[in-house]
Amino acid sequence: MRAVRYERFGPPDVLTIDRVPVPDPGPGEVLVRVHAASVGGGETEIRAGSLRRVMGSRMPRGLGVDFSGRVSGVGPGVDPARVGEEVLGILPHMGFGSTADFVAVPQERVVAAPAGLDPAGAAALPASGTTVLTALVAKARLREGERLLVRGASGGVGSTAVQVGRALGAHVTGLAGRRNLDWVRDLGAHEVFDHRETGPADLGRFDVVLDVVGSEPGAYRRLRAPGGRYLPLAIDPRRPLRSTADTLWSAAVDRRRVLPFSNNPSREDLTELVRYVESGRLVPVVDEVFPVERVREAHRRVEKGGLRGKVVVAMGEDPGPQG
């Protein structure tokens, strides 16, 4: 089968489409024929090597953590009736490699995809959607009428947070690039500001600050109102160790108001995400879809910035060995 991998850190050109064996599903696992996989916001920094001192340097590395597809096989202990099910899912915690023709994953990491949703939309959901639900519902306990600031409001996580925040009854303020301001407002934000022209000092106070950018964490933590909560969902790739240490220290001294976490969703989390989509409270947003043969272009698109939702890689049909 095909799998996108890289054997050294560097620009998008290090990405290759390799031939590797199709995995065998083990006990409690399903084998999924992948239709599409999303490009996570931090994956370009990982591939470039910016986070090697945080995440290590082991090679080769796969690409992608979430996916949509169809169950094509099951391991021992899994109901054979799942074969043929259209699903969306996410790899085990800190795993990469969903940008491939097949993945073998624990059955609790996949759920039935919402009816009528195309593969790209389904692939854009699992990582961003469960991250936002964990952040706003489980961690921050965002309540109706509270003020929510979403920093990085137009990307995959940010665009999801704007919609979920609005669905929870919060007053949503979004920070994004100028060309995306009206678009973020249409997603449900009550107020939007250009992040290049509006600094932290211009924003006022918020009950919940969701930070998907990671730079200047101290300035954005100070935007919390009394009882406010700050959720750092990114670290500064220019200073990864310092940024990580700052987050951990802040959480240690203010553990009720600084709420970092590493997303590791359960089956129930994925099921709740599907409910949000099926009820119309959340619409997956796809910036652009690239065929797997253009995966390097997909990474360049993410690096360019100014995204509206997620970049997705479509696997298509395997043409077989070429030569």
Side-chain angles (χ1 to χ4, degrees):
M1 72 170 192
R2 301 167 299 169
V4 177
R5 305 195 300 178
Y6 54 103
E7 305 227 10
R8 60 184 176 87
F9 295 117
D13 290 344
V14 302
L15 298 176
T16 59
I17 302 175
D18 296 341
R19 287 280 167 181
V20 300
V22 175
D24 291 321
E29 291 188 330
V30 295
L31 181 68
V32 177
R33 171 65 169 95
V34 176
H35 295 154
S38 80
V39 180
E43 283 194 88
T44 57
E45 301 293 345
I46 296 171
R47 185 219 67 233
S50 301
L51 305 181
R52 73 179 76 185
R53 297 180 68 184
V54 176
M55 302 191 65
S57 303
R58 185 176 179 179
M59 296 289 177
R61 287 178 182 266
L63 197 70
V65 300
D66 53 2
F67 56 89
S68 65
R70 178 184 291 114
V71 176
S72 63
V74 299
V78 180
D79 186 352
R82 295 207 70 175
V83 173
E85 183 180 357
E86 295 288 342
V87 297
L88 55 80
I90 189 167
L91 297 182
H93 193 222
M94 300 303 290
F96 293 88
S98 65
T99 313
D101 285 318
F102 292 90
V103 291
V105 295
Q107 63 173 331
E108 63 268 16
R109 310 294 292 198
V110 300
V111 296
L117 196 60
D118 63 36
L125 280 169
S128 293
T130 57
T131 295
V132 168
L133 289 179
T134 299
L136 296 184
V137 178
K139 297 294 183 178
R141 301 184 184 277
L142 181 66
R143 297 184 293 272
E144 184 175 358
E146 289 194 312
R147 289 175 53 82
L148 167 67
L149 173 65
V150 180
R151 186 184 181 206
S154 70
V157 172
S159 61
T160 302
V162 168
Q163 295 181 71
V164 171
R166 184 66 182 251
L168 292 171
H171 182 281
V172 182
T173 298
L175 277 177
R178 175 182 289 275
R179 84 174 189 94
N180 290 329
L181 297 183
D182 288 341
W183 183 81
V184 171
R185 186 180 288 107
D186 289 342
L187 284 178
H190 297 85
E191 297 177 294
V192 291
F193 297 98
D194 184 346
H195 67 86
R196 293 182 180 87
E197 298 179 358
T198 305
D202 305 317
L203 288 169
R205 294 290 183 266
F206 298 88
D207 300 292
V208 175
V209 177
L210 191 74
D211 189 350
V212 196
V213 178
S215 60
E216 301 181 86
Y220 285 91
R221 281 198 301 269
R222 287 191 288 273
L223 299 184
R224 293 170 299 173
R229 292 83 77 199
Y230 174 76
L231 295 108
L233 299 188
I235 61 174
D236 187 345
R238 298 169 300 175
R239 305 176 183 86
L241 292 180
R242 180 177 177 180
S243 179
T244 301
D246 176 85
T247 295
L248 294 177
W249 180 84
S250 300
V253 300
D254 198 3
R255 59 189 179 89
R256 293 185 179 181
R257 301 183 68 207
V258 178
L259 308 171
F261 66 94
S262 182
N263 192 43
N264 186 24
S266 65
R267 182 179 179 86
E268 290 72 25
D269 295 328
L270 289 166
T271 300
E272 179 65 9
L273 174 63
V274 170
R275 291 194 192 101
Y276 263 76
V277 176
E278 291 179 335
S279 67
R281 291 173 289 174
L282 174 62
V283 177
V285 183
V286 176
D287 180 273
E288 193 167 354
V289 180
F290 293 84
V292 67
E293 295 81 9
R294 295 170 56 200
V295 66
R296 295 174 178 175
E297 293 178 53
H299 267 231
R300 293 188 186 103
R301 173 68 191 97
V302 173
E303 290 178 335
K304 182 180 178 181
L307 296 176
R308 293 183 174 183
K310 294 295 289 283
V311 168
V312 173
V313 175
M315 292 308 299
E317 294 297 325
D318 183 356
Q322 305 295 299

